[in-house]
Amino acid sequence: AQSVAQPEDQVNVAEGNPLTVKCTYSVSGNPYLFWYVQYPNRGLQFLLKYITGDNLVKGSYGFEAEFNKSQTSFHLKKPSALVSDSALYFCAVRVVAYSGAGSYQLTFGKGTKLSVIP
Amino acid sequence: KAGVTQTPRYLIKTRGQQVTLSCSPISGHRSVSWYQQTPGQGLQFLFEYFSETQRNKGNFPGRFSGRQFSNSRSEMNVSTLELGDSALYLCASSLGDTFYEQYFGPGTRLTVT
């Protein structure tokens, strides 16, 4: 079974400082990894994904994430946080078996609430 | 392009009733997935449809069902509502292959009293 862990329920960071939101995963197969953001009373917005290739992935709004296979991690980062980045962030994984068979189900972490303090 | 739309946005039902939620995917997207979001359980996968066929199903009781129409629009139905079914129900669409991201609608907030 696949699972995603976001070890921090909440992350506080001062505006202008770098931010990191952590994500680790557990799968049997090759992971496809995704980050989404959710603002209050809204659906989820896609930020970025790792499928294959370069371990550093760049996405929307200045966010990036680094895939680390040995540590089974996919942490979300941004060099300089904005107050408008305050939201709920979700990491998700989809598994592709070594045989190539894919699972279409996205498994999400519990979410991390990011608060950027002015 | 218009995004994923869900109707209705808010719904209040009584225990024992049934409810149908609707989702219109982004034009050209053939895959539609449904998720339940609650404060306690987080985001849980319900099912996924592709070209009118259910490809994957989560661990929900048979009271939860869905379907997809030939125009890719999807509906989900919950019968015999329970208090615990109160949640935000999110629909997401994608082009269909595993490496494609999903795009989410704003959700339907269901309250069961």
Side-chain angles (χ1 to χ4, degrees), chain B residues 48-61:
Chain B
E48 188 250 357
Y49 289 88
F50 181 83
S51 293
E52 302 179 68
T53 300
Q54 187 182 88
R55 281 200 300 198
N56 212 358
K57 190 177 189 307
N59 294 323
F60 277 81

Side-chain angles (χ1 to χ4, degrees), chain A residues 32 34 36 38 41-46 49 51 88 90 94-96 101-110, chain B residues 9 33 35 37 40-43 45 48 55-57 88 90 96-106 109:
Chain A
Y32 288 174
F34 304 81
Y36 287 86
Q38 186 177 35
N41 300 314
R42 302 276 296 275
L44 277 68
Q45 294 179 29
F46 169 72
K49 66 181 177 182
I51 302 300
L88 190 57
F90 290 94
R94 182 183 284 143
V95 179
V96 178
S103 166
Y104 302 97
Q105 174 179 341
L106 266 182
T107 298
F108 284 86
K110 292 290 188 184
Chain B
R9 291 292 311 277
S33 298
Y35 296 85
Q37 185 177 23
Q41 298 298 317
L43 277 155
F45 172 76
E48 188 250 357
R55 281 200 300 198
N56 212 358
K57 190 177 189 307
L88 181 66
L90 292 165
D97 279 317
T98 54
F99 46 83
Y100 287 118
E101 60 275 17
Q102 294 181 343
Y103 291 90
F104 284 77
R109 172 75 63 186

Side-chain angles (χ1 to χ4, degrees), chain B residues 2-105:
Chain B
V4 177
T5 58
Q6 292 186 246
T7 56
R9 291 292 311 277
Y10 301 91
L11 207 48
I12 300 175
K13 289 287 188 178
T14 304
R15 267 183 306 174
Q17 288 185 316
Q18 76 165 25
V19 66
T20 299
L21 312 182
S22 181
C23 171
S24 293
I26 291 172
S27 177
H29 285 190
R30 296 166 64 190
S31 166
V32 173
S33 298
W34 288 89
Y35 296 85
Q36 182 195 66
Q37 185 177 23
T38 59
Q41 298 298 317
L43 277 155
Q44 293 187 284
F45 172 76
L46 280 156
F47 26 66
E48 188 250 357
Y49 289 88
F50 181 83
S51 293
E52 302 179 68
T53 300
Q54 187 182 88
R55 281 200 300 198
N56 212 358
K57 190 177 189 307
N59 294 323
F60 277 81
R63 300 186 296 106
F64 291 82
S65 63
R67 60 177 175 169
Q68 186 180 34
F69 302 95
S70 58
N71 62 358
S72 293
R73 192 177 68 84
S74 177
E75 289 181 347
M76 69 162 280
N77 185 276
V78 187
S79 62
T80 319
L81 284 166
E82 301 177 358
L83 294 179
D85 297 333
S86 295
L88 181 66
Y89 290 88
L90 292 165
C91 166
S93 75
S94 80
L95 287 166
D97 279 317
T98 54
F99 46 83
Y100 287 118
E101 60 275 17
Q102 294 181 343
Y103 291 90
F104 284 77

Side-chain angles (χ1 to χ4, degrees), chain A residues 7 10-12 17-19 38 41 45 52 58 64 91 103 105 107 111:
Chain A
Q10 176 144 359
V11 170
N12 297 322
N17 282 4
L19 69 87
Q38 186 177 35
N41 300 314
Q45 294 179 29
T52 187
K58 294 188 184 297
E64 59 187 32
C91 180
S103 166
Q105 174 179 341
T107 298

